[in-house]
Amino acid sequence: MKSVVVETPGKIAVVEREIPAIKENQVLVKVKAAGICGSDVHIFHGKNAFATYPRVVGHEFAGEIAKVGDQAGDFAVGEHVVVDPVVSCGHCYACRIGRHNVCTSLHVMGVHEDGGFQEYVAVNADQVYKLPADLPWEIAATVEPFSIGAQVAHRGRLSGDDTVLICGAGPIGLIILQVAKMKGARVAILDLEESRLEKAKELGADMIINGNTTDLVDAMKEFTDGLGFNLIYEATANAKILATCIRDLPSQAGRVVVLGFTTQELPIRQVDIMGRELEIIGTRLNNHRFPEVIDWFKAGSVKPQEIITHTFPFEKAAEAFQFSDENPDKVLKIILKF
Ligand SMILES: NC(=O)c1ccc[n+]([C@@H]2O[C@H](COP(=O)([O-])OP(=O)(O)OC[C@H]3O[C@@H](n4cnc5c(N)ncnc54)[C@H](O)[C@@H]3O)[C@@H](O)[C@H]2O)c1
Ligand SMILES: [Zn+2]
Ligand SMILES: [Zn+2]
């Protein structure tokens, strides 16, 4: 079989490997489609602190069952499935309280261990979710990024009552926008890239804010009558924006949900947190949210096709990564087809 391997930062190759053997609790998945995520690009550029090399990247992938282990449960060869890349230990504190996505020894396929950019992958059966056979493969590959949308909705207790700000209209911000609109919230969204803001408008954003031309605090005053946003998502990974989100933008009893993960320190004031009973909430990956997302896809309540801008055959992964680097105004999600 062929595997797409980031051999060292900056060097990607398609190599021949053995089809992996499966353990009795595993299934073999024949990969059909896989999405390129910002974090794959970071691993390619050597900018992900968690990744080791050589690495088969890719944590957004779907395919067909090709083989079923004796103890893997109710799967049949040919069934369409999607794989949750989160692997946890099952017995640390986070796992015991039902938060396995922040397991002490968390492993993510495509980051800490080999992932989905290869023709076959051996996967633990409990990470595998069945899909309707008529769901197009490239859509199936977006279940994982939409699971981030589901997770952040839970973490922020997103409801139709909320006035929401999303900082960042990248693929993830645009997914959060779709989830927030599905729930009936009023949503403003911030970015610097006009094409992404236009996409946000098409997807139902009630206000788009171009940070190059509009002051965020002024926009807040206009959109919320000066009351502040009830729920803010920080998905630009800009520490200064997070500081503004905590200090200047929330309402009383507001929540700020943090998706970015820079290591930059920022000044925050106790009074801004205490005075509003502000909640600053972290969110990481997803905590068993795939079934919820598959239900959204079945019901047509979100539009995953709106996030997909390009497809490439997987053998051209190097070109796809380069295209993504060179066209930030055009690319949202590239899907590799197998
Ligand atoms: N916590 C998690 O589980 C999780 C999961 C997925 C992604 N992420 C993170 O969420 C973030 C968003 O992911 P993405 O794939 O959409 O990334 P992305 O880089 O495509 O999107 C970020 C967007 O923020 C905009 N931006 C950057 N600086 C800005 C500024 N100063 N003002 C206004 N806009 C600005 C960019 O133009 C871009 O459109 C990334 O930091 C990613 O690492 C976190
Ligand atoms: Zn991703
Ligand atoms: Zn654990």
Side-chain angles (χ1 to χ4, degrees), residues 36-50:
I36 299 182
C37 176
S39 59
D40 300 316
V41 179
H42 289 316
I43 294 171
F44 174 58
H45 289 305
K47 287 190 201 146
N48 182 314
F50 303 114

Side-chain angles (χ1 to χ4, degrees), residues 89-92 95 103-104:
C89 78
H91 50 75
C92 72
C95 285
C103 172
T104 323

Side-chain angles (χ1 to χ4, degrees), residues 50-121:
F50 303 114
T52 52
Y53 302 86
R55 176 66 57 236
V56 175
V57 287
H59 55 271
E60 307 175 358
F61 61 102
E64 251 170 39
I65 298 282
K67 217 184 242 184
V68 185
D70 291 339
Q71 306 292 323
D74 169 33
F75 287 100
V77 171
E79 276 182 317
H80 293 202
V81 294
V82 61
V83 177
D84 185 340
V86 178
V87 185
S88 58
C89 78
H91 50 75
C92 72
Y93 170 72
C95 285
R96 286 200 312 273
I97 65 162
R99 305 263 297 272
H100 89 132
N101 54 312
V102 286
C103 172
T104 323
S105 41
L106 178 72
H107 271 225
V108 182
M109 295 184 73
V111 181
H112 308 85
E113 56 188 69
D114 283 347
F117 290 3
Q118 49 188 338
E119 289 181 292
Y120 291 90
V121 192

Side-chain angles (χ1 to χ4, degrees), residues 166-171 174 177 189-202 205 207-214 235-236 241 309 324-332:
I166 301 166
C167 299
L174 292 171
L177 168 64
I189 187 162
L190 166 79
D191 209 284
L192 305 172
E193 186 69 61
E194 200 53 42
S195 61
R196 292 184 165 195
L197 290 169
E198 284 307 314
K199 175 64 91 174
K201 206 187 238 172
E202 285 170 34
M207 179 189 249
I208 54 173
I209 306 164
N210 188 326
N212 288 316
T213 52
T214 306
T236 68
I241 290 190
T309 48
S324 167
D325 278 347
E326 289 172 357
N327 296 280
D329 54 328
K330 295 196 187 81
V331 172
L332 286 170

Side-chain angles (χ1 to χ4, degrees), residues 36 38 145-146 168-176 178 196 307 331-333:
I36 299 182
F146 272 84
I172 292 296
L174 292 171
I175 285 170
I176 300 171
Q178 293 191 36
R196 292 184 165 195
I307 304 299
V331 172
L332 286 170
K333 176 69 65 194

